[in-house]
Amino acid sequence: MIDLSRFKTTGQQTCFHGRHIQPQIYTGLDGRNWRLQDYMARGGYSALKKILGVDQPDGAAGMTPDQVIAEVKLSALRGRGGAGFPTGLKWSFMPRQFPGPKYLVCNSDEGEPGTCKDRDLLAYNPHIVIEGMVIAAYAMGVKTGYNYIHGEIFEIYERFEQALEEARAAGCLGERILGSQFSFELHAHHGFGAYICGEETALLESLEGKKGQPRFKPPFPASFGLYGKPTTINNTETFAAVPWIINHGGQAYLECGKPNNGGTKIFSVVGDVERPGNFEVPLGTPFATLLELAGGVKGGRALKAVIPGGSPAPVLPAKTMMDMTMDYDAIAKAGSMLGSGAVIVMDDTRCMVRSLLRLSYFYQHESCGQCTPCREGTGWLWRLVDRIEHGKGRPEDLDLLDSVAEDIKGRTICALGDAAAMPVQGMLKHFRDEFAYHVEHKCCMVAAAATLTPTPLPEGEGVALTPTPLPEGEGVNS
Ligand SMILES: Cc1cc2nc3c(=O)[nH]c(=O)nc-3n(C[C@H](O)[C@H](O)[C@H](O)COP(=O)(O)O)c2cc1C
Ligand code: SF4
């Protein structure tokens, strides 16, 4: 058993506890030690020195850009922003000999319901992100970078600006970094809080000062990115993983996780758990262990279901999750996705219709409106779930929901359409009976079960449950 008494939180700080497993990114953080001197004391910027061949004890030469990319490829680091694309491969797409400007962008937009790992990283370990970006810039021959930070966390934007100042003053950023021939300047950019600006091409539009609407792909950012120039975009946590890989080698990182799923991942465990927070564990850790790290299901209740990778990920029932390992391939095999790593835990008091209503509201609200299937379809989904939730659903609405979701998927400019459709189909696949119950009884199955009166059955047949009638006029119970 894990010693829960070590875990102290005010509810504001979500990553300062001893319940990470083999942490690489969150090691040694206490909420105050975010400054450059603290980071240096933890061995910070040693990976940058290693690739540049600065202050190496044995006078070792640095690494070439190709060697850096090869190490990242070997590590099997996959993008932590949602899609899990191999990072080393993405870096190799950057046309290094391109004569004009090229850009590196960090995606710190983090607007997905449940996900809260990047803001902790920027607040409590900003230099690890800066170091990772400088190394990436070196590997891809980039001279200018931006960190696009979510609009609703202004204090973290200010913190990151301070960290940038410290890095510049120490020669870790700017002209001729650490006395080498390599120069790279990095700027922080404050977004305005729209979820869609986390989509990489919408982010680029926003960074250019335009309305944050996704671009049609191809062309991909590697050839036509910021200001039409080759650009590489990675998530905050992806960059934060890089210094460890350089310091310890790609093979060690790979071995820390599973084949094709290298290293640790930060999971934001939220919902019905005793101690929600961010937990850094090796990829491939059993879900049951992660749940234990978060103190188990709240109040000792039964686990009903889990959304394993942020709001777009299809829900999975408890039984599936209790046998699951937390890595990209295992979760995909079970029909969901690891996504951004937000693990939304739901206990047996949760109504799946109501939960889906909340998600569907979010997606129709955040659709940028550019393409018809998403603009209209997300609204349809929301209205359909709303009428089922409120006792006005028709039996045919369940198939209609599924077909609207199917018609959105793969027919939109960006993946927000898929993100809106997938939770609907996941809920119908695993909890269709709850939706049907809502339609038939015009009330919630879970709420009804909570007010059930046990009626003894004949010997040996267990206990039958009879719904307690609702008061007059309260036929809609959610
Ligand atoms: C609607 C939508 C929102 C997204 N939001 C984020 C986000 O907040 N942060 C992020 O890193 N990636 C987000 N992504 C994924 C990015 O488009 C992109 O794949 C990612 O930043 C690439 O970084 P990675 O390869 O390191 O994962 C979002 C994608 C979509 C479709
Ligand atoms: S899928 Fe939705 S969010 Fe994405 S471009 Fe189309 S309308 Fe905008």
Side-chain angles (χ1 to χ4, degrees):
M1 284 294 286
I2 291 149
D3 177 13
L4 295 183
S5 65
R6 292 168 62 202
F7 186 74
K8 302 257 188 305
T9 176
T10 62
Q12 301 294 314
Q13 303 130 353
T14 55
C15 59
F16 317 126
H17 51 76
R19 289 183 289 140
H20 305 293
I21 301 175
Q22 298 176 37
Q24 299 164 351
I25 295 176
Y26 277 164
T27 318
L29 304 186
D30 64 12
R32 294 176 304 279
N33 56 0
W34 60 271
R35 291 201 170 272
L36 180 77
Q37 63 188 40
D38 305 310
Y39 185 59
M40 294 283 202
R42 294 196 292 275
Y45 289 105
S46 53
L48 179 60
K49 288 180 182 161
K50 182 173 174 180
I51 63 162
L52 296 177
V54 173
D55 292 345
Q56 293 306 292
D58 47 2
M63 294 168 73
T64 64
D66 280 333
Q67 285 172 329
V68 174
I69 292 179
E71 213 59 50
V72 176
K73 276 187 177 169
L74 176 64
S75 75
L77 171 64
R78 295 171 64 167
R80 305 304 196 216
F85 192 83
T87 305
L89 186 61
K90 185 185 269 192
W91 289 10
S92 68
F93 293 156
M94 177 65 108
R96 266 188 286 137
Q97 305 314 324
F98 183 82
K102 292 172 285 184
Y103 297 102
L104 184 68
V105 176
C106 178
N107 188 342
S108 298
D109 193 56
E110 194 169 50
E112 198 148 279
T115 318
C116 51
K117 63 188 178 67
D118 295 339
R119 65 193 63 190
D120 269 10
L121 256 175
L122 295 175
Y124 306 125
N125 207 2
H127 284 285
I128 201 170
V129 180
I130 297 173
E131 187 179 8
M133 286 193 75
V134 182
I135 293 168
Y138 173 81
M140 289 177 272
V142 176
K143 295 202 172 345
T144 310
Y146 296 90
N147 187 6
Y148 187 99
I149 300 175
H150 191 78
E152 285 150 356
I153 48 173
F154 193 74
E155 66 286 358
I156 288 175
Y157 164 80
E158 289 182 315
R159 165 83 48 99
F160 194 73
E161 284 280 24
Q162 289 179 57
L164 287 177
E165 275 307 314
E166 288 184 328
R168 283 185 198 111
C172 298
L173 206 55
E175 288 295 317
R176 294 176 52 87
I177 290 175
L178 299 174
S180 70
Q181 297 300 313
F182 172 60
S183 303
F184 174 65
E185 189 48 273
L186 177 56
H187 309 276
H189 181 92
H190 186 240
F192 211 75
Y195 172 58
I196 193 57
C197 287
E199 195 283 333
E200 56 188 14
T201 58
L203 185 154
L204 295 177
E205 289 285 296
S206 173
L207 204 48
E208 289 179 8
K210 301 178 197 153
K211 190 156 46 163
Q213 287 187 317
R215 298 174 183 169
F216 195 84
K217 290 188 277 191
F220 291 94
S223 56
F224 188 91
L226 189 62
Y227 306 115
K229 304 296 178 195
T231 302
T232 297
I233 307 170
N234 277 122
N235 172 256
T236 320
E237 187 188 347
T238 312
F239 284 121
V242 171
W244 198 97
I245 294 170
I246 297 301
N247 279 326
H248 299 85
Q251 185 63 30
Y253 190 82
L254 175 61
E255 284 165 11
C256 170
K258 276 175 75 174
N260 198 34
N261 293 264
T264 60
K265 170 86 189 83
I266 301 170
F267 291 100
S268 306
V269 185
V270 299
D272 298 323
V273 288
E274 284 291 343
R275 295 169 191 273
N278 288 320
F279 300 87
E280 186 181 353
V281 299
L283 280 168
T285 297
F287 167 74
T289 306
L290 191 60
L291 184 60
E292 198 181 341
L293 294 174
V297 180
K298 205 168 188 174
R301 297 196 65 94
L303 179 68
K304 178 172 182 174
V306 178
I307 298 176
S311 56
V315 68
L316 292 173
K319 189 174 171 336
T320 312
M321 283 307 294
M322 292 311 283
D323 295 334
M324 181 72 68
T325 57
M326 299 302 289
D327 59 86
Y328 293 94
D329 299 334
I331 298 182
K333 203 167 157 206
S336 189
M337 56 193 238
L338 185 132
S340 59
V343 179
I344 305 173
V345 176
M346 292 189 261
D347 71 18
D348 58 356
T349 63
R350 295 291 161 192
C351 166
M352 291 311 189
V353 182
R354 172 156 280 208
S355 304
L356 184 60
L357 180 61
R358 193 66 195 81
L359 288 175
S360 300
Y361 175 79
F362 173 78
Y363 283 108
Q364 64 83 32
H365 184 264
E366 296 296 330
S367 167
C368 84
Q370 217 181 168
C371 42
T372 310
C374 174
R375 183 186 61 243
E376 302 302 326
T378 53
W380 287 9
L381 291 176
W382 174 52
R383 287 192 293 276
L384 272 167
V385 183
D386 186 67
R387 82 175 176 218
I388 296 172
E389 163 70 0
H390 292 104
K392 295 181 183 137
R394 305 164 310 172
E396 61 269 31
D397 281 351
L398 272 56
D399 286 340
L400 185 58
L401 252 184
D402 192 48
S403 81
V404 173
E406 194 58 35
D407 286 346
I408 297 173
K409 267 175 29 185
R411 294 187 171 85
T412 54
I413 293 175
C414 88
L416 188 139
D418 291 13
M422 288 188 300
V424 173
Q425 295 192 313
M427 287 288 190
L428 286 175
K429 180 173 172 195
H430 296 292
F431 297 98
R432 196 180 176 94
D433 55 338
E434 280 193 39
F435 289 77
Y437 190 97
H438 261 266
V439 170
E440 192 183 337
H441 298 276
K442 309 207 177 304
C443 69
C444 168
M445 193 182 196
V446 179
T451 56
L452 296 181
T453 316
T455 313
L457 279 178
E459 200 83 66
E461 289 193 45
V463 174
L465 299 173
T466 318
T468 310
L470 289 168
E472 201 76 57
E474 290 190 24
V476 178
N477 181 359
S478 58

